[in-house]
Amino acid sequence: MNAILIVAHGSRREESNEEIRRLTLQVAEKSAKHFDLIDTAFLELASPLIPEGIQALINKGADNVLVVPYFLARGTHVATDIPAEVAKAQHANPDTEIKISDYLGASDAMPDLLLKLAVSCQKD
Amino acid sequence: MNAILIVAHGSRREESNEEIRRLTLQVAEKSAKHFDLIDTAFLELASPLIPEGIQALINKGADNVLVVPYFLARGTHVATDIPAEVAKAQHANPDTEIKISDYLGASDAMPDLLLKLAVSCQKD
């Protein structure tokens, strides 16, 4: 089974964490053709943390886990901290393929999304 | 003339600020039909700050400025800090229409973008 784990920074404001969980549900509604399982995890400050989130997907039967960093810039979190957390889960589960996708801000589709956001507001 | 100002948090890592400026250039390549001017500004830690960024667009002839918050969650920055900075520019330029669009994380297109990011990595 193929799984996605959307990873956000995590916030002391539980409302912000809930916002990510709701977004994950919206992705789930669209992703059934490509992925069997999808969940949210956080780098810090909120639960589940990345290794727990990956483990939960594996326990549900995932053979492949794709970690998708919901981050805007290639800072230390994207370059170092997320790979380090993913490595812990990989070490505990050597037979599972665990990959990390490009972070959100690097998406080729980002310029179009920003333009769409601006145009839709201009029309209001 | 219609202008967009893409507003990011700003980082001590100049590389992250440059990432936003490059993204703005990519939006500019696509936005000519809708907007005449486009630039980047930062809430803090980088230059120009929001009031300066808005003023520069007005000095170039903008009658309408749309501020687009490049932020993922509706935290204090989106709810309070950006509107407060925009209000300063509005106060200094009462005849210019200055609006703030939805922040990036609230975009209806975000679930599709995340799925696209995941699917393109799965195919690699």
Side-chain angles (χ1 to χ4, degrees):
Chain A
M1 289 207 286
N2 296 320
I4 312 179
L5 189 66
I6 294 179
V7 168
H9 185 279
S11 171
R12 287 189 183 80
R13 294 174 68 250
E14 190 48 35
E15 210 177 313
S16 293
N17 302 327
E18 270 308 312
E19 202 175 328
I20 312 298
R21 294 187 187 104
R22 278 197 303 276
L23 177 62
T24 299
L25 292 178
Q26 289 177 287
V27 179
E29 283 169 16
K30 294 166 180 282
S31 65
K33 208 176 86 187
H34 301 282
F35 296 95
D36 307 294
L37 296 166
I38 177 164
D39 213 337
T40 318
F42 300 93
L43 180 61
E44 57 187 41
L45 303 174
S47 181
L49 297 174
I50 296 171
E52 300 160 12
I54 293 174
Q55 195 61 54
L57 290 168
I58 293 171
N59 293 350
K60 285 179 186 163
D63 311 295
N64 295 278
V65 177
L66 180 62
V67 171
V68 179
Y70 191 62
F71 282 73
L72 291 177
R74 188 185 293 285
T76 312
H77 291 326
V78 166
T80 308
D81 300 340
I82 293 176
E85 294 302 310
V86 169
K88 291 181 196 171
Q90 184 69 79
H91 185 77
N93 299 278
D95 299 333
T96 307
E97 192 187 359
I98 309 176
K99 285 169 60 176
I100 305 175
S101 79
D102 260 347
Y103 62 103
L104 177 73
S107 166
D108 291 342
M110 186 57 84
D112 280 323
L113 190 153
L114 279 169
L115 182 58
K116 205 170 160 181
L117 193 63
V119 170
S120 75
C121 179
Q122 195 187 31
K123 283 180 185 154
D124 282 352
Chain B
M1 290 207 285
N2 295 321
I4 312 180
L5 188 67
I6 295 179
V7 168
H9 185 280
S11 171
R12 287 187 183 83
R13 294 175 68 251
E14 190 49 34
E15 210 178 312
S16 293
N17 302 327
E18 270 308 311
E19 203 175 327
I20 312 297
R21 294 187 187 105
R22 280 197 301 276
L23 177 63
T24 299
L25 292 179
Q26 289 177 287
V27 179
E29 284 169 18
K30 295 164 179 282
S31 66
K33 208 177 86 187
H34 301 283
F35 296 94
D36 308 294
L37 296 166
I38 176 164
D39 213 336
T40 317
F42 299 93
L43 181 60
E44 56 186 41
L45 302 174
S47 181
L49 295 174
I50 296 171
E52 298 160 13
I54 293 172
Q55 194 61 54
L57 291 168
I58 292 170
N59 293 351
K60 286 178 187 164
D63 311 295
N64 295 278
V65 178
L66 180 62
V67 172
V68 179
Y70 191 62
F71 282 74
L72 291 177
R74 187 185 293 288
T76 311
H77 292 326
V78 167
T80 308
D81 300 340
I82 293 175
E85 294 302 310
V86 169
K88 290 181 197 170
Q90 183 69 80
H91 184 77
N93 299 278
D95 298 333
T96 306
E97 191 186 1
I98 309 176
K99 284 169 62 175
I100 306 175
S101 78
D102 260 348
Y103 62 104
L104 177 72
S107 165
D108 291 343
M110 186 56 83
D112 280 325
L113 190 152
L114 279 170
L115 182 58
K116 205 170 161 182
L117 194 63
V119 170
S120 74
C121 178
Q122 195 187 30
K123 282 180 186 155
D124 282 349

